[in-house]
């Protein structure tokens, strides 16, 4: 693969990530929940919809079958992405025709989710070959930097659409924007230079893959972490939107704050992950995500605005590291052929997400609206989910420490981290007359010292 092809693929990968983000945001967070509620979805439907994009990753084990059918990696990628992303066109159609049925919205997300895993698998395997191992942290940090900028834009305008007085108009414009973003990714992905799969891909031996102890240890960590993630996902949004009645514009502003912080952290984490290892940075991210689950337990009707702002900051610090290093760690523990490892990883992810979604749906049916009084304070029963999620995330940190991968611990040097950097910038940007005055002062001081020495003699 030529340097020009690699450079073009890197560029279009960033652009595709930006537009994909515009579509993907509709399947996550308060935007997904508002859309689900608009289509009259109940808590069980919401739980199922929220885990569908993750649960269907189990289908990646059939990627080998698609390779045999379509012969090339690029054709497999394009067929999958066309079916997956064009499903979003039906979203504005449903809103326009006023078909507010939870089964319709679920069907749209289901079609998207069924074919998205093959896009992920093929794209990930290709990028492993395109991006050199030593610069993955830096490149994906840069890519996520621009995606974070797009998150600011999409979150703001989506929040405005959701808050429009005429709900049908607002939701129609929102769904149309999502559909346009989805279709744009098809054309941008087509501009990628995708290297064809190696002959070894057709000879994937899952038996050999399961002999990789480092990979199996990684899967054990993944199962615990993703269960906690997918289990809590619908509860976070239901609590914010339905229970506390948060304004969509307020939630959009928090999303912008998270994106702004993430924008800079992706660059910092990208460099740190190359230096200190993906496991080190991932552990830092999960620590903040774990504390965030506990923070939701302290939310009340009186303090939720301040607490949600803090939660947005913790999300930025935590999930920026997680999103950057999670798949990088997978690439680190995988061997050739990568497709086989990604397929098994995705199968575990899918099964875990389905179990978490079912557990969340059943539990949510009983605890979503209730409350009890404890020591005179009103405690929503939905907070039981946050305690369960907190404990699961603590356990995932323990599982992470057992993974055998490159890791270099942080060491405190005894000075502030910004001190040396600030000194360099001060030296570089101080006006010349300050430097000159300093020299004169030093010369004057030296002369005084000389006179004092002569007088003593």
């Amino acid at each position: 693969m030529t340097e020009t092809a690699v450079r073009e693929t890197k560029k279009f990968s960033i652009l595709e990530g930006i537009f994909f983000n515009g579509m993907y945001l509709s399947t996550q967070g308060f935007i997904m929940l508002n859309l689900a509620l608009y289509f009259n979805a109940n808590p069980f439907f919401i739980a199922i919809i929220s885990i569908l994009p993750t649960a269907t990753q189990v289908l990646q084990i059939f990627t080998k079958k698609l390779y045999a059918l379509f012969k090339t990696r690029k054709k497999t990628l394009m067929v999958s992405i066309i079916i997956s992303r064009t499903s979003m066109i039906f979203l504005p159609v449903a809103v326009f025709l006023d078909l507010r049925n939870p089964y319709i919205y679920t069907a749209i997300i289901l079609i998207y989710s069924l074919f998205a895993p093959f896009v992920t698998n093929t794209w990930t395997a290709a990028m492993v070959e395109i991006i050199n191992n030593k610069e993955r942290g830096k490149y994906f940090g840069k890519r996520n930097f621009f995606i974070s900028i797009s998150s600011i834009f999409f979150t703001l305008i989506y929040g405005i659409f959701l808050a429009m007085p005429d709900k049908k108009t607002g939701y129609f414009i929102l769904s149309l924007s999502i559909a346009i973003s989805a279709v744009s990714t098809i054309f941008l992905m087509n501009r990628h230079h995708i290297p064809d799969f190696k002959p070894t891909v057709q000879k994937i031996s899952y038996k050999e893959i399961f002999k990789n102890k480092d990979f199996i240890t990684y899967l054990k960590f993944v199962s615990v972490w993703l269960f906690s993630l997918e289990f809590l996902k619908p509860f976070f949004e239901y609590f914010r939107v339905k229970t506390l009645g948060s304004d969509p514009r307020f939630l959009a502003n928090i999303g912008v704050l998270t994106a702004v912080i993430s924008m800079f952290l992706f660059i910092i984490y990208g460099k740190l992950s190359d230096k200190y290892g993906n496991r080190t940075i991932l552990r830092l991210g999960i620590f903040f995500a774990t504390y965030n689950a506990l923070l939701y337990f302290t939310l009340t009707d009186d303090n939720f605005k301040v607490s949600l702002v803090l939660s947005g900051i913790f999300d930025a610090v935590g999930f920026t590291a997680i999103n950057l290093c999670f798949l990088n760690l997978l690439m680190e523990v995988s061997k050739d052929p990568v497709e086989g490892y990604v397929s098994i990883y995705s199968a575990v992810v899918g099964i875990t997400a389905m179990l978490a979604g079912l557990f969340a749906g059943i539990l949510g049916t009983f605890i979503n609206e209730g409350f009890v009084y404890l020591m005179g304070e009103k405690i929503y029963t939905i907070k039981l989910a946050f305690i369960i999620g907190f404990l699961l995330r603590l356990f995932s940190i323990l599982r992470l420490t057992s993974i055998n991968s490159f890791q270099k611990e942080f060491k405190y040097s005894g000075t502030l981290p910004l001190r040396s950097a600030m000194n360099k910038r001060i030296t570089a940007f101080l006006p010349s007359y300050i430097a000159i005055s300093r020299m004169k002062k030093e010369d004057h001081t030296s002369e005084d010292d000389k006179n004092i020495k002569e007088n003593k003699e």
Side-chain angles (χ1 to χ4, degrees):
M1 195 169 181
T2 64
E3 291 184 7
T4 302
V6 171
R7 187 165 56 250
E8 289 182 358
T9 300
K10 287 181 178 180
K11 179 180 67 175
F12 285 112
S13 174
I14 292 174
L15 292 174
E16 190 273 336
I18 290 171
F19 281 95
F20 172 74
N21 193 41
M23 179 208 67
Y24 187 70
L25 285 174
S26 68
T27 67
Q28 304 292 314
F30 75 97
I31 300 170
M32 177 277 296
L33 186 60
N34 277 282
L35 278 168
L37 292 174
Y38 182 79
F39 281 91
N40 299 313
N42 59 31
F44 185 79
F45 267 104
I46 292 170
I48 297 302
I49 292 168
S50 67
I51 60 96
L52 271 176
T54 307
T56 51
Q57 288 193 39
V58 68
L59 297 175
Q60 289 193 37
I61 59 175
F62 298 110
T63 302
K64 181 181 175 181
K65 300 292 185 182
L66 289 186
Y67 282 171
L69 178 64
F70 297 115
K71 307 303 180 182
T72 66
R73 187 185 269 166
K74 181 66 177 285
K75 191 174 181 180
T76 303
L77 176 65
M78 293 310 301
V79 171
S80 301
I81 196 173
I82 288 171
I83 298 175
S84 175
R85 307 294 164 82
T86 52
S87 65
M88 290 297 175
I89 296 175
F90 295 101
L91 191 58
V93 174
V95 175
F96 181 77
L97 297 177
D98 207 25
L99 302 175
R100 299 175 62 177
N101 187 307
Y103 289 98
I104 292 177
Y105 182 57
T106 304
I108 293 171
I109 301 300
L110 177 62
I111 295 171
Y112 156 74
S113 302
L114 285 175
F115 290 88
F118 303 116
V119 178
T120 303
N121 185 300
T122 310
W123 181 84
T124 302
M127 295 306 285
V128 168
E129 297 180 22
I130 294 171
I131 309 299
N132 186 280
N133 181 44
K134 294 182 179 179
E135 62 176 13
R136 281 178 194 158
K138 182 179 179 181
Y139 171 73
F140 286 111
K142 179 182 177 181
R143 183 175 184 267
N144 288 325
F145 171 82
F146 288 104
I147 290 175
S148 296
I149 294 178
S150 73
S151 293
I152 298 172
F153 171 75
F154 287 120
T155 304
L156 276 176
I157 63 170
Y158 288 174
I160 293 172
F161 296 154
L162 290 172
M164 290 178 66
D166 185 347
K167 282 193 172 295
K168 183 175 181 179
T169 302
Y171 278 85
F172 176 73
I173 299 174
L174 169 64
S175 57
L176 186 62
S177 302
I178 293 167
I180 292 172
S181 296
V183 173
S184 299
T185 62
I186 298 174
F187 295 100
L188 291 168
M189 190 67 82
N190 191 45
R191 298 298 302 273
H192 283 50
H193 296 272
I194 302 296
D196 205 2
F197 52 77
K198 300 176 182 178
T200 52
V201 173
Q202 297 289 359
K203 301 178 182 179
I204 293 175
S205 173
Y206 293 117
K207 185 178 180 180
E208 290 298 320
I209 292 175
F210 279 112
K211 291 181 180 179
N212 186 337
K213 294 182 180 180
D214 294 337
F215 180 65
I216 298 302
T217 304
Y218 174 77
L219 290 181
K220 291 178 181 178
F221 152 72
V222 166
S223 61
V224 178
W225 163 250
L226 281 177
F227 189 93
S228 73
L229 182 68
E230 297 301 324
F231 164 70
L232 277 182
K233 189 184 295 182
F235 290 109
F236 278 142
E237 302 310 325
Y238 194 90
F239 187 57
R240 296 200 305 174
V241 176
K242 191 72 174 178
T243 305
L244 298 176
S246 302
D247 188 332
R249 287 171 295 186
F250 173 67
L251 296 178
N253 290 334
I254 294 176
V256 170
L257 173 65
T258 301
V260 169
I261 298 173
S262 300
M263 186 172 61
F264 297 102
L265 286 178
F266 272 124
I267 301 297
I268 297 172
Y269 284 153
K271 294 181 179 179
L272 290 178
S273 64
D274 287 336
K275 183 176 181 180
Y276 293 100
N278 292 300
R279 196 178 80 176
T280 302
I281 305 304
L282 184 57
R283 186 172 60 193
L284 174 68
I286 294 179
F287 170 80
F288 280 97
T290 301
Y291 184 77
N292 196 30
L294 189 61
L295 177 64
Y296 265 76
F297 183 79
T298 66
L299 285 176
T300 66
D301 296 312
D302 298 322
N303 71 359
F304 78 91
K305 287 190 175 181
V306 175
S307 296
L308 286 179
V309 172
L310 288 175
S311 173
I313 296 173
F314 290 143
D315 269 348
V317 178
F319 281 94
T320 300
I322 294 168
N323 293 336
L324 179 65
C325 298
F326 201 81
L327 286 179
N328 283 352
L329 188 57
L330 168 63
M331 296 177 187
E332 189 175 340
V333 298
S334 300
K335 298 179 181 178
D336 190 52
V338 178
E339 280 91 342
Y341 285 86
V342 175
S343 295
I344 294 176
Y345 158 80
S346 301
V348 172
V349 169
I351 293 170
T352 303
M354 283 189 285
L355 293 174
L358 288 173
F359 181 44
I362 295 171
L363 184 65
T365 304
F366 296 100
I367 67 172
N368 64 308
E369 297 290 352
F371 59 86
V372 295
Y373 284 94
L374 183 64
M375 293 186 290
E377 292 190 9
K378 182 180 179 181
I379 306 294
Y380 292 102
T381 52
I382 196 174
K383 291 186 176 182
L384 173 64
F386 303 137
I387 293 297
I388 296 173
F390 169 73
L391 295 175
L392 286 171
R393 291 184 177 187
L394 276 180
F395 184 58
S396 73
I397 295 177
L398 297 178
R399 297 300 318 180
L400 177 62
T401 58
S402 62
I403 298 175
N404 183 26
S405 64
F406 168 71
Q407 178 176 334
K408 182 180 178 182
E409 296 291 346
F410 287 107
K411 290 185 178 180
Y412 179 57
S413 62
T415 59
L416 292 176
L418 296 178
R419 181 176 177 181
S420 59
M422 291 298 293
N423 286 341
K424 291 179 181 178
R425 279 163 173 73
I426 292 173
T427 304
F429 294 104
L430 274 178
S432 58
Y433 68 86
I434 295 181
I436 294 172
S437 63
R438 182 186 294 174
M439 291 173 62
K440 289 182 177 179
K441 185 177 180 180
E442 289 175 355
D443 291 342
H444 182 70
T445 303
S446 298
E447 188 67 29
D448 288 344
D449 292 340
K450 183 178 179 181
N451 291 335
I452 291 172
K453 184 177 180 180
E454 289 177 352
N455 290 334
K456 284 183 178 181
E457 291 176 350

